[in-house]
Amino acid sequence: MKIFAIRDASIAKDRDLAWLLYYPAADEFHIEICDGVDEWEAPLLISSFVKRGKKSLDSDSSRLWAELRIIPPDRQNLGMILRDNGLDSYDPFRLLVLAGGRCAQDDCFLVPLREDNMPEELEKRLQRTIQSFLPSQNHIKTDSGDVLFFFRDGMIRRLSGAELFSETSLHQKQRERLSLYRNSFSEISLAAGGHGVRLGEKVFLSADELRNKGMLLPLTKGDFRSYIESNVIDTATAAELLHCTRQNIQDLVRRGKLHPVLTLKNNFLFLRDDILK
């Protein structure tokens, strides 16, 4: 993760207005708005989120803000610019860093921050992000079943599909997108860094929005870990409990007599209770 403070030279060169985070593996940008920033201080585009009381930008808006400060790929003399800056190919992130995040629209610029010395406010924000969700950490396809969200600070919330896809918490543009695309998608995916989830490709719910939806569960991630350690067993242990061979276990799975919770390349994972039953 790369972290930058967004500052405005016309306001105060040492005051953070927002933070830009970049996740190289996913090639995703994310912007967090600092507490106390009003819509008149906030940079263009970011100010519209401040006006709505938001602290986070969705992935698409964060990328748009960054791309407005990058030389476009169709620039006529792009090859010369790349060579002059020691670049072999078009790299939006490196171009953003080389330009210091400056553009002609405002007086904003970027200041690199170290991950091990980030502002306390940002560090607290990152602890409130989503670590994973069930039934799948990467994506699920549902618009009716319950979903468990695990947050990095230990909070666990359960949301029904109806609550997750509810239009009441979305602003007008998101409601229009959801109405247009609802019949063609029900996939939920986690944004880089766990700052929120995407409903299909067009709608984004931030981690803070999800923390205020659904039901708070009086459990911790440690409770789930303890349950897994005590109740999930592999093929060898299942064979030992049933006094049979691994081949017998594989045959029982093939005939639908046993139902693994996870199928690996050369192994199965089962709930102990299912095996004993």
Side-chain angles (χ1 to χ4, degrees):
M1 178 175 64
K2 306 295 184 182
I3 308 172
F4 301 86
I6 299 175
R7 297 177 183 172
D8 189 328
S10 66
I11 298 177
K13 292 185 177 182
D14 59 351
R15 181 190 172 194
D16 296 354
L17 299 178
W19 298 288
L20 176 68
L21 290 77
Y22 177 68
Y23 296 89
D27 186 29
E28 285 191 17
F29 291 96
H30 178 77
I31 291 177
E32 286 285 322
I33 306 168
C34 300
D35 288 343
V37 174
D38 62 42
E39 62 179 289
W40 306 110
E41 296 174 309
L44 187 67
L45 181 64
I46 297 177
S47 61
S48 64
F49 286 82
V50 176
K51 190 174 181 178
R52 299 200 307 270
K54 305 292 185 181
K55 292 294 185 181
S56 301
L57 273 66
D58 59 88
S59 304
D60 289 343
S61 298
S62 297
R63 176 170 287 279
L64 176 59
W65 189 88
E67 288 182 344
L68 289 173
R69 295 158 192 283
I70 302 169
I71 299 169
D74 57 355
R75 178 76 174 263
Q76 187 173 4
N77 59 340
L78 179 63
M80 183 185 301
I81 295 173
L82 295 180
R83 288 193 299 272
D84 289 347
N85 287 279
L87 299 180
D88 297 326
S89 60
Y90 185 76
D91 186 330
F93 175 71
R94 289 185 65 188
L95 287 169
L96 178 70
V97 174
L98 285 170
R102 298 181 183 275
C103 74
Q105 297 179 345
D106 54 40
D107 295 314
C108 289
F109 61 99
L110 298 177
V111 178
L113 301 177
R114 284 175 25 208
E115 191 171 346
D116 61 355
N117 191 31
M118 69 178 73
E120 184 178 355
E121 182 187 337
L122 177 59
E123 192 170 359
K124 289 180 179 178
R125 296 266 193 99
L126 296 181
Q127 286 303 309
R128 293 168 58 84
T129 56
I130 305 164
Q131 188 168 44
S132 60
F133 63 86
L134 294 175
S136 169
Q137 182 173 348
N138 296 320
H139 69 273
I140 64 174
K141 290 190 175 182
T142 179
D143 56 6
S144 59
D146 287 356
V147 185
L148 293 179
F149 287 94
F150 298 81
F151 296 86
R152 286 188 169 82
D153 61 358
M155 176 187 281
I156 301 173
R157 298 196 79 90
R158 183 175 69 193
L159 278 73
S160 68
E163 290 171 312
L164 192 59
F165 284 84
S166 169
E167 300 181 14
T168 57
S169 64
L170 306 178
H171 61 76
Q172 181 61 35
K173 184 171 290 188
Q174 286 182 312
R175 286 197 293 271
E176 292 171 358
R177 288 174 172 176
L178 185 57
S179 175
L180 180 62
Y181 289 92
R182 187 163 188 163
N183 292 330
S184 62
F185 76 80
S186 55
E187 183 176 289
I188 307 171
S189 59
L190 190 64
H195 297 284
V197 294
R198 302 182 191 88
L199 308 184
E201 297 179 354
K202 299 295 179 180
V203 178
F204 177 86
L205 290 177
S206 71
D208 275 341
E209 289 175 300
L210 292 172
R211 291 175 71 93
N212 294 309
K213 295 169 75 73
M215 178 186 298
L216 176 64
L217 299 185
L219 297 170
T220 66
K221 187 178 178 182
D223 295 329
F224 279 87
R225 184 181 183 90
S226 296
Y227 177 83
I228 291 171
E229 290 175 346
S230 302
N231 292 281
V232 176
I233 59 175
D234 62 5
T235 302
T237 305
E240 184 179 339
L241 288 173
L242 294 179
H243 304 289
C244 67
T245 66
R246 291 175 62 98
Q247 288 73 21
N248 290 139
I249 295 295
Q250 292 170 353
D251 182 61
L252 288 169
V253 171
R254 186 169 57 253
R255 291 190 288 126
K257 300 294 184 180
L258 288 178
H259 304 283
V261 295
L262 183 64
T263 300
L264 305 174
K265 185 176 182 181
N266 296 310
N267 205 353
F268 296 111
L269 295 182
F270 303 94
L271 292 179
R272 182 185 295 271
D273 292 344
D274 289 347
I275 298 297
L276 295 177
K277 187 185 299 183

